[in-house]
Structure formats: structure tokens, C-alpha cells
mmCIF file of all heavy atoms in Angstrom:
data_model
loop_
_atom_site.group_PDB
_atom_site.id
_atom_site.type_symbol
_atom_site.label_atom_id
_atom_site.label_comp_id
_atom_site.label_asym_id
_atom_site.label_seq_id
_atom_site.Cartn_x
_atom_site.Cartn_y
_atom_site.Cartn_z
ATOM 1 N N GLY A 1 0.836 -1.196 0.001
ATOM 2 C CA GLY A 1 0.000 0.001 0.000
ATOM 3 C C GLY A 1 0.869 1.241 0.000
ATOM 4 O O GLY A 1 2.047 1.196 -0.347
ATOM 5 N N GLY A 2 0.281 2.358 0.391
ATOM 6 C CA GLY A 2 1.046 3.595 0.408
ATOM 7 C C GLY A 2 0.166 4.823 0.481
ATOM 8 O O GLY A 2 -0.787 4.875 1.255
ATOM 9 N N TRP A 3 0.473 5.796 -0.365
ATOM 10 C CA TRP A 3 -0.210 7.082 -0.373
ATOM 11 C C TRP A 3 -0.968 7.266 -1.689
ATOM 12 O O TRP A 3 -0.519 6.816 -2.741
ATOM 13 C CB TRP A 3 0.793 8.222 -0.230
ATOM 14 C CG TRP A 3 1.434 8.313 1.123
ATOM 15 C CD1 TRP A 3 2.670 7.855 1.480
ATOM 16 C CD2 TRP A 3 0.875 8.899 2.297
ATOM 17 N NE1 TRP A 3 2.927 8.125 2.801
ATOM 18 C CE2 TRP A 3 1.842 8.771 3.337
ATOM 19 C CE3 TRP A 3 -0.343 9.524 2.582
ATOM 20 C CZ2 TRP A 3 1.628 9.240 4.622
ATOM 21 C CZ3 TRP A 3 -0.555 9.994 3.878
ATOM 22 C CH2 TRP A 3 0.412 9.853 4.872
ATOM 23 N N SER A 4 -2.109 7.966 -1.601
ATOM 24 C CA SER A 4 -2.887 8.270 -2.806
ATOM 25 C C SER A 4 -3.382 9.710 -2.749
ATOM 26 O O SER A 4 -3.578 10.277 -1.671
ATOM 27 C CB SER A 4 -4.079 7.317 -2.957
ATOM 28 O OG SER A 4 -5.047 7.549 -1.943
ATOM 29 N N TYR A 5 -3.576 10.263 -3.931
ATOM 30 C CA TYR A 5 -4.047 11.658 -4.072
ATOM 31 C C TYR A 5 -4.967 11.704 -5.283
ATOM 32 O O TYR A 5 -4.593 11.249 -6.364
ATOM 33 C CB TYR A 5 -2.857 12.595 -4.283
ATOM 34 C CG TYR A 5 -3.197 14.067 -4.370
ATOM 35 C CD1 TYR A 5 -2.967 14.922 -3.299
ATOM 36 C CD2 TYR A 5 -3.724 14.608 -5.537
ATOM 37 C CE1 TYR A 5 -3.259 16.280 -3.377
ATOM 38 C CE2 TYR A 5 -4.033 15.957 -5.631
ATOM 39 C CZ TYR A 5 -3.797 16.787 -4.552
ATOM 40 O OH TYR A 5 -4.091 18.135 -4.632
ATOM 41 N N VAL A 6 -6.171 12.240 -5.105
ATOM 42 C CA VAL A 6 -7.126 12.332 -6.202
ATOM 43 C C VAL A 6 -7.089 13.737 -6.798
ATOM 44 O O VAL A 6 -7.339 14.724 -6.100
ATOM 45 C CB VAL A 6 -8.557 11.988 -5.736
ATOM 46 C CG1 VAL A 6 -9.544 12.156 -6.896
ATOM 47 C CG2 VAL A 6 -8.624 10.564 -5.200
ATOM 48 N N ALA A 7 -6.738 13.808 -8.077
ATOM 49 C CA ALA A 7 -6.693 15.083 -8.794
ATOM 50 C C ALA A 7 -7.893 15.176 -9.725
ATOM 51 O O ALA A 7 -8.187 14.233 -10.472
ATOM 52 C CB ALA A 7 -5.396 15.189 -9.603
ATOM 53 N N SER A 8 -8.579 16.283 -9.695
ATOM 54 C CA SER A 8 -9.749 16.498 -10.551
ATOM 55 C C SER A 8 -9.356 17.308 -11.785
ATOM 56 O O SER A 8 -8.176 17.521 -12.056
ATOM 57 C CB SER A 8 -10.848 17.207 -9.761
ATOM 58 O OG SER A 8 -10.367 18.431 -9.234
ATOM 59 N N SER A 9 -10.360 17.757 -12.529
ATOM 60 C CA SER A 9 -10.166 18.591 -13.729
ATOM 61 C C SER A 9 -9.425 17.859 -14.838
ATOM 62 O O SER A 9 -8.707 18.476 -15.636
ATOM 63 C CB SER A 9 -9.434 19.896 -13.378
ATOM 64 O OG SER A 9 -10.150 20.627 -12.404
ATOM 65 N N ILE A 10 -9.584 16.529 -14.897
ATOM 66 C CA ILE A 10 -8.987 15.738 -15.970
ATOM 67 C C ILE A 10 -9.911 15.781 -17.189
ATOM 68 O O ILE A 10 -11.138 15.687 -17.061
ATOM 69 C CB ILE A 10 -8.769 14.284 -15.521
ATOM 70 C CG1 ILE A 10 -7.764 14.237 -14.374
ATOM 71 C CG2 ILE A 10 -8.332 13.413 -16.689
ATOM 72 C CD1 ILE A 10 -6.384 14.728 -14.723
ATOM 73 N N GLN A 11 -9.322 15.908 -18.378
ATOM 74 C CA GLN A 11 -10.077 15.964 -19.624
ATOM 75 C C GLN A 11 -9.830 14.692 -20.437
ATOM 76 O O GLN A 11 -8.684 14.363 -20.739
ATOM 77 C CB GLN A 11 -9.664 17.192 -20.446
ATOM 78 C CG GLN A 11 -9.878 18.520 -19.749
ATOM 79 C CD GLN A 11 -11.357 18.818 -19.541
ATOM 80 O OE1 GLN A 11 -12.194 18.509 -20.400
ATOM 81 N NE2 GLN A 11 -11.693 19.408 -18.405
ATOM 82 N N PRO A 12 -10.886 13.966 -20.801
ATOM 83 C CA PRO A 12 -10.696 12.742 -21.597
ATOM 84 C C PRO A 12 -9.947 13.036 -22.900
ATOM 85 O O PRO A 12 -10.214 14.034 -23.570
ATOM 86 C CB PRO A 12 -12.122 12.272 -21.881
ATOM 87 C CG PRO A 12 -12.957 12.896 -20.808
ATOM 88 C CD PRO A 12 -12.308 14.214 -20.497
ATOM 89 N N GLY A 13 -9.009 12.186 -23.233
ATOM 90 C CA GLY A 13 -8.246 12.354 -24.463
ATOM 91 C C GLY A 13 -7.055 13.274 -24.345
ATOM 92 O O GLY A 13 -6.187 13.266 -25.227
ATOM 93 N N HIS A 14 -6.978 14.071 -23.284
ATOM 94 C CA HIS A 14 -5.815 14.924 -23.091
ATOM 95 C C HIS A 14 -4.671 14.089 -22.510
ATOM 96 O O HIS A 14 -4.892 13.060 -21.872
ATOM 97 C CB HIS A 14 -6.155 16.081 -22.154
ATOM 98 C CG HIS A 14 -7.061 17.101 -22.770
ATOM 99 N ND1 HIS A 14 -7.035 18.448 -22.434
ATOM 100 C CD2 HIS A 14 -8.034 16.980 -23.706
ATOM 101 C CE1 HIS A 14 -7.948 19.100 -23.142
ATOM 102 N NE2 HIS A 14 -8.567 18.225 -23.919
ATOM 103 N N HIS A 15 -3.454 14.561 -22.714
ATOM 104 C CA HIS A 15 -2.278 13.814 -22.283
ATOM 105 C C HIS A 15 -1.708 14.430 -21.011
ATOM 106 O O HIS A 15 -1.691 15.661 -20.845
ATOM 107 C CB HIS A 15 -1.214 13.804 -23.380
ATOM 108 C CG HIS A 15 -1.565 12.917 -24.533
ATOM 109 N ND1 HIS A 15 -2.556 13.222 -25.437
ATOM 110 C CD2 HIS A 15 -1.057 11.703 -24.915
ATOM 111 C CE1 HIS A 15 -2.648 12.257 -26.334
ATOM 112 N NE2 HIS A 15 -1.756 11.337 -26.043
ATOM 113 N N TYR A 16 -1.216 13.550 -20.128
ATOM 114 C CA TYR A 16 -0.709 13.990 -18.832
ATOM 115 C C TYR A 16 0.619 13.313 -18.521
ATOM 116 O O TYR A 16 0.884 12.194 -18.952
ATOM 117 C CB TYR A 16 -1.727 13.670 -17.724
ATOM 118 C CG TYR A 16 -3.029 14.421 -17.903
ATOM 119 C CD1 TYR A 16 -4.047 13.884 -18.688
ATOM 120 C CD2 TYR A 16 -3.212 15.673 -17.328
ATOM 121 C CE1 TYR A 16 -5.235 14.575 -18.879
ATOM 122 C CE2 TYR A 16 -4.401 16.373 -17.514
ATOM 123 C CZ TYR A 16 -5.402 15.817 -18.298
ATOM 124 O OH TYR A 16 -6.571 16.522 -18.495
ATOM 125 N N ARG A 17 1.438 14.042 -17.766
ATOM 126 C CA ARG A 17 2.724 13.503 -17.322
ATOM 127 C C ARG A 17 2.765 13.497 -15.793
ATOM 128 O O ARG A 17 2.469 14.494 -15.137
ATOM 129 C CB ARG A 17 3.879 14.344 -17.840
ATOM 130 C CG ARG A 17 5.249 13.848 -17.354
ATOM 131 C CD ARG A 17 6.365 14.846 -17.640
ATOM 132 N NE ARG A 17 6.564 15.016 -19.072
ATOM 133 C CZ ARG A 17 6.589 16.191 -19.688
ATOM 134 N NH1 ARG A 17 6.406 17.304 -18.999
ATOM 135 N NH2 ARG A 17 6.786 16.252 -20.988
ATOM 136 N N LEU A 18 3.131 12.334 -15.244
ATOM 137 C CA LEU A 18 3.378 12.203 -13.811
ATOM 138 C C LEU A 18 4.882 12.086 -13.589
ATOM 139 O O LEU A 18 5.549 11.272 -14.225
ATOM 140 C CB LEU A 18 2.687 10.962 -13.244
ATOM 141 C CG LEU A 18 3.023 10.616 -11.781
ATOM 142 C CD1 LEU A 18 2.474 11.681 -10.837
ATOM 143 C CD2 LEU A 18 2.506 9.235 -11.405
ATOM 144 N N THR A 19 5.393 12.908 -12.684
ATOM 145 C CA THR A 19 6.790 12.825 -12.269
ATOM 146 C C THR A 19 6.817 12.674 -10.756
ATOM 147 O O THR A 19 6.152 13.435 -10.046
ATOM 148 C CB THR A 19 7.583 14.080 -12.679
ATOM 149 O OG1 THR A 19 7.451 14.279 -14.093
ATOM 150 C CG2 THR A 19 9.055 13.933 -12.334
ATOM 151 N N ALA A 20 7.554 11.712 -10.255
ATOM 152 C CA ALA A 20 7.647 11.495 -8.809
ATOM 153 C C ALA A 20 9.063 11.052 -8.470
ATOM 154 O O ALA A 20 9.615 10.168 -9.126
ATOM 155 C CB ALA A 20 6.635 10.447 -8.347
ATOM 156 N N HIS A 21 9.639 11.666 -7.437
ATOM 157 C CA HIS A 21 10.995 11.317 -7.010
ATOM 158 C C HIS A 21 10.927 10.445 -5.759
ATOM 159 O O HIS A 21 10.081 10.654 -4.887
ATOM 160 C CB HIS A 21 11.791 12.587 -6.716
ATOM 161 C CG HIS A 21 12.040 13.430 -7.923
ATOM 162 N ND1 HIS A 21 11.097 14.323 -8.417
ATOM 163 C CD2 HIS A 21 13.108 13.516 -8.763
ATOM 164 C CE1 HIS A 21 11.578 14.923 -9.491
ATOM 165 N NE2 HIS A 21 12.790 14.449 -9.721
ATOM 166 N N TYR A 22 11.839 9.488 -5.673
ATOM 167 C CA TYR A 22 11.842 8.606 -4.514
ATOM 168 C C TYR A 22 13.260 8.142 -4.187
ATOM 169 O O TYR A 22 14.157 8.179 -5.021
ATOM 170 C CB TYR A 22 10.941 7.383 -4.758
ATOM 171 C CG TYR A 22 11.523 6.343 -5.668
ATOM 172 C CD1 TYR A 22 12.241 5.265 -5.154
ATOM 173 C CD2 TYR A 22 11.380 6.422 -7.059
ATOM 174 C CE1 TYR A 22 12.794 4.300 -5.987
ATOM 175 C CE2 TYR A 22 11.920 5.458 -7.895
ATOM 176 C CZ TYR A 22 12.633 4.399 -7.354
ATOM 177 O OH TYR A 22 13.192 3.451 -8.181
ATOM 178 N N ARG A 23 13.431 7.694 -2.962
ATOM 179 C CA ARG A 23 14.651 6.999 -2.558
ATOM 180 C C ARG A 23 14.256 5.909 -1.581
ATOM 181 O O ARG A 23 13.206 5.984 -0.933
ATOM 182 C CB ARG A 23 15.683 7.939 -1.950
ATOM 183 C CG ARG A 23 15.324 8.535 -0.615
ATOM 184 C CD ARG A 23 16.426 9.469 -0.120
ATOM 185 N NE ARG A 23 17.710 8.765 -0.016
ATOM 186 C CZ ARG A 23 18.849 9.375 0.347
ATOM 187 N NH1 ARG A 23 18.851 10.681 0.578
ATOM 188 N NH2 ARG A 23 19.967 8.681 0.443
ATOM 189 N N THR A 24 15.070 4.876 -1.490
ATOM 190 C CA THR A 24 14.707 3.720 -0.688
ATOM 191 C C THR A 24 15.807 3.368 0.312
ATOM 192 O O THR A 24 16.965 3.785 0.181
ATOM 193 C CB THR A 24 14.452 2.485 -1.564
ATOM 194 O OG1 THR A 24 15.655 2.146 -2.257
ATOM 195 C CG2 THR A 24 13.328 2.741 -2.560
ATOM 196 N N LYS A 25 15.411 2.568 1.298
ATOM 197 C CA LYS A 25 16.351 1.989 2.250
ATOM 198 C C LYS A 25 15.911 0.552 2.502
ATOM 199 O O LYS A 25 14.733 0.296 2.804
ATOM 200 C CB LYS A 25 16.358 2.783 3.559
ATOM 201 C CG LYS A 25 17.280 2.210 4.627
ATOM 202 C CD LYS A 25 17.222 3.041 5.895
ATOM 203 C CE LYS A 25 18.134 2.453 6.980
ATOM 204 N NZ LYS A 25 18.054 3.258 8.246
ATOM 205 N N ALA A 26 16.824 -0.392 2.353
ATOM 206 C CA ALA A 26 16.573 -1.813 2.612
ATOM 207 C C ALA A 26 15.440 -2.364 1.749
ATOM 208 O O ALA A 26 14.636 -3.163 2.208
ATOM 209 C CB ALA A 26 16.280 -2.051 4.092
ATOM 210 N N VAL A 27 15.385 -1.921 0.492
ATOM 211 C CA VAL A 27 14.387 -2.433 -0.464
ATOM 212 C C VAL A 27 15.135 -3.075 -1.631
ATOM 213 O O VAL A 27 15.816 -2.385 -2.400
ATOM 214 C CB VAL A 27 13.462 -1.318 -0.979
ATOM 215 C CG1 VAL A 27 12.471 -1.891 -2.007
ATOM 216 C CG2 VAL A 27 12.708 -0.667 0.170
ATOM 217 N N SER A 28 15.019 -4.384 -1.762
ATOM 218 C CA SER A 28 15.627 -5.080 -2.887
ATOM 219 C C SER A 28 14.619 -5.179 -4.030
ATOM 220 O O SER A 28 13.409 -5.084 -3.812
ATOM 221 C CB SER A 28 16.078 -6.483 -2.467
ATOM 222 O OG SER A 28 14.974 -7.252 -2.012
ATOM 223 N N HIS A 29 15.115 -5.361 -5.241
ATOM 224 C CA HIS A 29 14.255 -5.499 -6.418
ATOM 225 C C HIS A 29 13.217 -4.367 -6.481
ATOM 226 O O HIS A 29 12.013 -4.600 -6.513
ATOM 227 C CB HIS A 29 13.559 -6.861 -6.419
ATOM 228 C CG HIS A 29 14.494 -8.026 -6.310
ATOM 229 N ND1 HIS A 29 15.388 -8.355 -7.310
ATOM 230 C CD2 HIS A 29 14.699 -8.917 -5.302
ATOM 231 C CE1 HIS A 29 16.098 -9.416 -6.934
ATOM 232 N NE2 HIS A 29 15.702 -9.771 -5.733
ATOM 233 N N GLU A 30 13.727 -3.151 -6.518
ATOM 234 C CA GLU A 30 12.848 -1.977 -6.494
ATOM 235 C C GLU A 30 11.816 -2.003 -7.608
ATOM 236 O O GLU A 30 10.697 -1.514 -7.440
ATOM 237 C CB GLU A 30 13.681 -0.689 -6.605
ATOM 238 C CG GLU A 30 14.502 -0.378 -5.384
ATOM 239 C CD GLU A 30 15.277 0.917 -5.559
ATOM 240 O OE1 GLU A 30 15.014 1.634 -6.555
ATOM 241 O OE2 GLU A 30 16.139 1.216 -4.714
ATOM 242 N N GLN A 31 12.193 -2.543 -8.757
ATOM 243 C CA GLN A 31 11.286 -2.533 -9.904
ATOM 244 C C GLN A 31 10.011 -3.316 -9.634
ATOM 245 O O GLN A 31 8.992 -3.119 -10.321
ATOM 246 C CB GLN A 31 11.990 -3.078 -11.156
ATOM 247 C CG GLN A 31 12.314 -4.558 -11.112
ATOM 248 C CD GLN A 31 13.632 -4.878 -10.451
ATOM 249 O OE1 GLN A 31 14.157 -4.073 -9.689
ATOM 250 N NE2 GLN A 31 14.192 -6.051 -10.758
ATOM 251 N N LEU A 32 10.032 -4.197 -8.646
ATOM 252 C CA LEU A 32 8.847 -4.961 -8.280
ATOM 253 C C LEU A 32 8.123 -4.395 -7.063
ATOM 254 O O LEU A 32 6.918 -4.608 -6.908
ATOM 255 C CB LEU A 32 9.238 -6.426 -7.986
ATOM 256 C CG LEU A 32 9.903 -7.201 -9.118
ATOM 257 C CD1 LEU A 32 10.296 -8.587 -8.635
ATOM 258 C CD2 LEU A 32 8.975 -7.309 -10.316
ATOM 259 N N ARG A 33 8.833 -3.687 -6.218
ATOM 260 C CA ARG A 33 8.295 -3.302 -4.916
ATOM 261 C C ARG A 33 7.958 -1.815 -4.790
ATOM 262 O O ARG A 33 7.227 -1.425 -3.880
ATOM 263 C CB ARG A 33 9.267 -3.711 -3.812
ATOM 264 C CG ARG A 33 9.433 -5.223 -3.699
ATOM 265 C CD ARG A 33 10.390 -5.615 -2.582
ATOM 266 N NE ARG A 33 10.277 -7.022 -2.264
ATOM 267 C CZ ARG A 33 11.025 -7.980 -2.798
ATOM 268 N NH1 ARG A 33 11.951 -7.642 -3.693
ATOM 269 N NH2 ARG A 33 10.858 -9.233 -2.459
ATOM 270 N N VAL A 34 8.512 -0.995 -5.653
ATOM 271 C CA VAL A 34 8.248 0.449 -5.601
ATOM 272 C C VAL A 34 7.478 0.824 -6.868
ATOM 273 O O VAL A 34 7.975 0.659 -7.972
ATOM 274 C CB VAL A 34 9.562 1.251 -5.502
ATOM 275 C CG1 VAL A 34 9.275 2.743 -5.497
ATOM 276 C CG2 VAL A 34 10.338 0.841 -4.248
ATOM 277 N N VAL A 35 6.264 1.329 -6.689
ATOM 278 C CA VAL A 35 5.364 1.533 -7.824
ATOM 279 C C VAL A 35 4.732 2.921 -7.742
ATOM 280 O O VAL A 35 4.297 3.365 -6.670
ATOM 281 C CB VAL A 35 4.248 0.465 -7.849
ATOM 282 C CG1 VAL A 35 3.283 0.719 -8.997
ATOM 283 C CG2 VAL A 35 4.849 -0.935 -7.950
ATOM 284 N N ALA A 36 4.644 3.586 -8.889
ATOM 285 C CA ALA A 36 3.858 4.816 -9.036
ATOM 286 C C ALA A 36 2.930 4.629 -10.222
ATOM 287 O O ALA A 36 3.364 4.169 -11.279
ATOM 288 C CB ALA A 36 4.771 6.027 -9.250
ATOM 289 N N ARG A 37 1.654 4.972 -10.048
ATOM 290 C CA ARG A 37 0.725 4.769 -11.154
ATOM 291 C C ARG A 37 -0.397 5.803 -11.112
ATOM 292 O O ARG A 37 -0.630 6.475 -10.101
ATOM 293 C CB ARG A 37 0.138 3.367 -11.143
ATOM 294 C CG ARG A 37 -0.933 3.115 -10.084
ATOM 295 C CD ARG A 37 -1.529 1.729 -10.224
ATOM 296 N NE ARG A 37 -2.707 1.544 -9.370
ATOM 297 C CZ ARG A 37 -3.448 0.441 -9.354
ATOM 298 N NH1 ARG A 37 -3.142 -0.583 -10.146
ATOM 299 N NH2 ARG A 37 -4.508 0.348 -8.557
ATOM 300 N N LEU A 38 -1.098 5.911 -12.246
ATOM 301 C CA LEU A 38 -2.288 6.750 -12.376
ATOM 302 C C LEU A 38 -3.491 5.843 -12.586
ATOM 303 O O LEU A 38 -3.506 5.027 -13.509
ATOM 304 C CB LEU A 38 -2.138 7.711 -13.562
ATOM 305 C CG LEU A 38 -1.028 8.749 -13.465
ATOM 306 C CD1 LEU A 38 -0.950 9.566 -14.757
ATOM 307 C CD2 LEU A 38 -1.241 9.676 -12.271
ATOM 308 N N ASP A 39 -4.496 6.001 -11.731
ATOM 309 C CA ASP A 39 -5.723 5.206 -11.796
ATOM 310 C C ASP A 39 -6.870 6.159 -12.143
ATOM 311 O O ASP A 39 -7.293 6.958 -11.315
ATOM 312 C CB ASP A 39 -5.973 4.515 -10.451
ATOM 313 C CG ASP A 39 -6.968 3.372 -10.561
ATOM 314 O OD1 ASP A 39 -7.495 3.147 -11.668
ATOM 315 O OD2 ASP A 39 -7.239 2.722 -9.538
ATOM 316 N N TRP A 40 -7.356 6.077 -13.374
ATOM 317 C CA TRP A 40 -8.323 7.032 -13.895
ATOM 318 C C TRP A 40 -9.721 6.762 -13.342
ATOM 319 O O TRP A 40 -10.129 5.619 -13.169
ATOM 320 C CB TRP A 40 -8.342 6.982 -15.417
ATOM 321 C CG TRP A 40 -6.979 7.125 -16.024
ATOM 322 C CD1 TRP A 40 -6.147 6.124 -16.443
ATOM 323 C CD2 TRP A 40 -6.263 8.337 -16.262
ATOM 324 N NE1 TRP A 40 -4.972 6.630 -16.936
ATOM 325 C CE2 TRP A 40 -5.011 7.987 -16.833
ATOM 326 C CE3 TRP A 40 -6.559 9.688 -16.057
ATOM 327 C CZ2 TRP A 40 -4.061 8.939 -17.199
ATOM 328 C CZ3 TRP A 40 -5.614 10.638 -16.426
ATOM 329 C CH2 TRP A 40 -4.391 10.259 -16.993
ATOM 330 N N GLN A 41 -10.488 7.848 -13.093
ATOM 331 C CA GLN A 41 -11.819 7.726 -12.525
ATOM 332 C C GLN A 41 -12.814 8.581 -13.302
ATOM 333 O O GLN A 41 -12.453 9.611 -13.889
ATOM 334 C CB GLN A 41 -11.825 8.171 -11.057
ATOM 335 C CG GLN A 41 -10.916 7.358 -10.153
ATOM 336 C CD GLN A 41 -10.948 7.848 -8.717
ATOM 337 O OE1 GLN A 41 -11.492 8.903 -8.414
ATOM 338 N NE2 GLN A 41 -10.358 7.070 -7.809
ATOM 339 N N ASP A 42 -14.085 8.146 -13.271
ATOM 340 C CA ASP A 42 -15.142 8.952 -13.882
ATOM 341 C C ASP A 42 -15.796 9.827 -12.811
ATOM 342 O O ASP A 42 -15.323 9.896 -11.669
ATOM 343 C CB ASP A 42 -16.164 8.065 -14.594
ATOM 344 C CG ASP A 42 -16.883 7.107 -13.646
ATOM 345 O OD1 ASP A 42 -16.801 7.292 -12.413
ATOM 346 O OD2 ASP A 42 -17.537 6.166 -14.144
ATOM 347 N N ALA A 43 -16.896 10.476 -13.168
ATOM 348 C CA ALA A 43 -17.548 11.410 -12.253
ATOM 349 C C ALA A 43 -18.098 10.724 -11.009
ATOM 350 O O ALA A 43 -18.301 11.373 -9.976
ATOM 351 C CB ALA A 43 -18.660 12.156 -12.980
ATOM 352 N N SER A 44 -18.354 9.424 -11.073
ATOM 353 C CA SER A 44 -18.867 8.678 -9.913
ATOM 354 C C SER A 44 -17.746 7.970 -9.160
ATOM 355 O O SER A 44 -18.013 7.094 -8.335
ATOM 356 C CB SER A 44 -19.915 7.655 -10.366
ATOM 357 O OG SER A 44 -19.349 6.732 -11.285
ATOM 358 N N GLN A 45 -16.498 8.333 -9.449
ATOM 359 C CA GLN A 45 -15.306 7.790 -8.788
ATOM 360 C C GLN A 45 -15.102 6.306 -9.077
ATOM 361 O O GLN A 45 -14.467 5.592 -8.295
ATOM 362 C CB GLN A 45 -15.357 8.036 -7.271
ATOM 363 C CG GLN A 45 -15.373 9.504 -6.909
ATOM 364 C CD GLN A 45 -15.335 9.741 -5.416
ATOM 365 O OE1 GLN A 45 -15.700 8.872 -4.617
ATOM 366 N NE2 GLN A 45 -14.901 10.927 -5.015
ATOM 367 N N LYS A 46 -15.616 5.839 -10.197
ATOM 368 C CA LYS A 46 -15.384 4.476 -10.631
ATOM 369 C C LYS A 46 -14.233 4.451 -11.637
ATOM 370 O O LYS A 46 -14.040 5.410 -12.393
ATOM 371 C CB LYS A 46 -16.641 3.873 -11.257
ATOM 372 C CG LYS A 46 -17.788 3.687 -10.272
ATOM 373 C CD LYS A 46 -18.990 3.042 -10.954
ATOM 374 C CE LYS A 46 -20.120 2.831 -9.963
ATOM 375 N NZ LYS A 46 -21.319 2.208 -10.612
#
């Protein structure tokens, strides 16, 4: 799990860039264990 933030004012078909900086301690295989993603939602939060 982790942290989440819901951003509004998204326009369908428009392009977006996410940039996030991170550093780790005692985490092996970061490519499997450290994840950043965008989960798109409609007006009903689905």
C-alpha cells in the first residue's frame, strides 16, 4: 500500500505527465516493490 491523491479537472483524451521522485532503504528489487501509477476515474469515482 502507500499514499494516494485524487486530482480532478482531468479531460478525456488529453495527455498527462506524472513525475515522482523517490529513494529507498533496505528495499531489494525496487522494480517490483516500488510503484507509481495513475488510476483514472469517472464522475462517480469508478
Side-chain angles (χ1 to χ4, degrees):
W3 290 99
S4 68
Y5 183 103
V6 178
S8 57
S9 302
I10 296 297
Q11 300 293 323
H14 289 210
H15 287 72
Y16 296 88
R17 178 192 295 128
L18 172 67
T19 305
H21 294 82
Y22 76 93
R23 68 181 302 177
T24 62
K25 178 181 179 181
V27 178
S28 60
H29 306 293
E30 290 181 10
Q31 68 274 21
L32 301 177
R33 295 181 165 93
V34 178
V35 178
R37 75 176 190 177
L38 296 176
D39 197 358
W40 308 97
Q41 299 179 350
D42 62 14
S44 60
Q45 298 183 338
K46 294 182 179 180

